[in-house]
Amino acid sequence: MRRYLAILACLMFCCHSRAQNDSLSYRLTPFVKGGLTIGFFEGKASNSSSVGHTGFHLEAGIQVPIRRGRVFNWCLIPSLRFITKGDTWELDDGERAFANMQYIEVPIDYAAQISTRKCKIWFGAGLYMGYGIGGRLYGSDNLYIYHGYRLKEEPAIFGSEVRANRWDSGLNLMGAVQLRHLYLSFDLDIGLTKVASGRLDGNNDSSAVAISMSIGYTF
C-alpha cells in the first residue's frame, strides 16, 4: 500500500504543470500548530496486541504560493515539527509495554487550496525526514521483562540496548481547513524506514506510523 501512496504523492507533485501560469502575489504565510498524535508500528514488531501510542506534536511552518489554477491554488508547505511516536502492546495477563519515541521532523508538502467565502480548504501530500532525539521503552508496574528488556530500567529507545533507528523518513498526507487565522488540520505520517529495534522486532520489518490532529494559527 505504501508503494501506491508514494506514487500518488509523486503524481500530485507533477500535476501543477497543468495549472495556469498566472503568478500569485508571493505572500508567505507563517503558521504554528499543535495537538494530539496517535502512533503505532506498521508491520510485525511484536506478537503482543497493539493498542497504539497517545502523544502530541508541535509544529511551525510557512505556506509558499507557487501557482494559481482555474480551480486550485498550489502551495509548497515546509515546516519543522516535534512529534512523539511509538506503540503500546497489551499482553495476555493485562500488563502493557510502551515504546515512546521523540523525533524532530522536517515535512515538505505540496498542497492544493480551494477558497470559499468562509474558509480555505487544503489537501496535499509530501515527504518528511525525521531524527530521533529521545524516548524510552517501559512497562506497567508488574511488567519487569519484555522481549528480554528489563523495563524497570527504562532503556533508551535509541540507545545501545534497544538500538532503534534514529533516522526516519516517509510519506506525509495532509488536509486542513483555514477559517481566517484559525487553522484546523489532519496529518498522516507513513514511515518508509524500518524501526529495526533488535529483539523488539525479530524480523526488522516494522515502521512508525502517526496520525495527528491539530489546531493552529496563521499569521
Side-chain angles (χ1 to χ4, degrees):
M1 182 183 72
R2 289 179 294 178
R3 180 182 301 174
Y4 295 116
L5 289 173
I7 293 173
L8 175 61
C10 292
L11 290 175
M12 289 194 65
F13 275 104
C14 294
C15 68
H16 75 276
S17 60
R18 295 175 176 264
Q20 287 182 325
N21 292 325
D22 299 347
S23 61
L24 291 171
S25 58
Y26 279 83
R27 178 181 179 271
L28 306 181
T29 306
F31 66 89
V32 293
K33 66 179 182 178
L36 178 69
T37 296
I38 305 297
F40 58 93
F41 289 163
E42 190 275 328
K44 187 178 174 57
S46 170
N47 293 326
S48 309
S49 176
S50 171
V51 296
H53 172 272
T54 302
F56 71 98
H57 65 280
L58 299 170
E59 185 171 344
I62 192 167
Q63 299 168 358
V64 183
I66 302 296
R67 289 178 181 270
R68 173 175 293 151
R70 292 194 180 101
V71 179
F72 305 117
N73 295 328
W74 298 91
C75 188
L76 195 67
I77 308 178
S79 61
L80 181 67
R81 174 192 295 162
F82 171 84
I83 188 170
T84 61
K85 298 183 180 181
D87 208 337
T88 301
W89 300 279
E90 186 167 354
L91 283 65
D92 293 337
D93 58 3
E95 300 295 337
R96 290 188 173 189
F98 308 88
N100 178 37
M101 309 168 78
Q102 302 163 7
Y103 290 92
I104 296 294
E105 289 184 351
V106 179
I108 301 178
D109 293 319
Y110 192 72
Q113 174 222 307
I114 303 175
S115 296
T116 69
R117 292 183 179 179
K118 295 184 178 180
C119 68
K120 296 178 181 178
I121 300 172
W122 301 85
F123 59 93
L127 302 174
Y128 75 88
M129 176 69 73
Y131 184 77
I133 60 172
R136 296 280 176 178
L137 181 66
Y138 58 99
S140 48
D141 291 340
N142 296 322
L143 185 61
Y144 297 94
I145 302 292
Y146 182 71
H147 282 227
Y149 297 107
R150 299 180 181 276
L151 298 183
K152 278 297 182 181
E153 299 173 1
E154 297 188 358
I157 199 78
F158 299 114
S160 58
E161 185 175 2
V162 182
R163 303 188 307 279
N165 189 359
R166 284 188 182 271
W167 289 103
D168 185 29
S169 61
L171 178 66
N172 187 73
L173 305 178
M174 61 83 65
V177 176
Q178 182 178 334
L179 305 167
R180 294 189 177 180
H181 293 287
L182 182 65
Y183 195 73
L184 306 173
S185 68
F186 170 89
D187 289 89
L188 173 61
D189 272 13
I190 303 174
L192 301 177
T193 301
K194 296 177 182 178
V195 175
S197 52
R199 293 190 301 260
L200 181 64
D201 179 12
N203 60 7
N204 289 333
D205 195 32
S206 62
S207 58
V209 176
I211 301 170
S212 300
M213 293 152 283
S214 312
I215 184 169
Y217 185 86
T218 59
F219 295 93

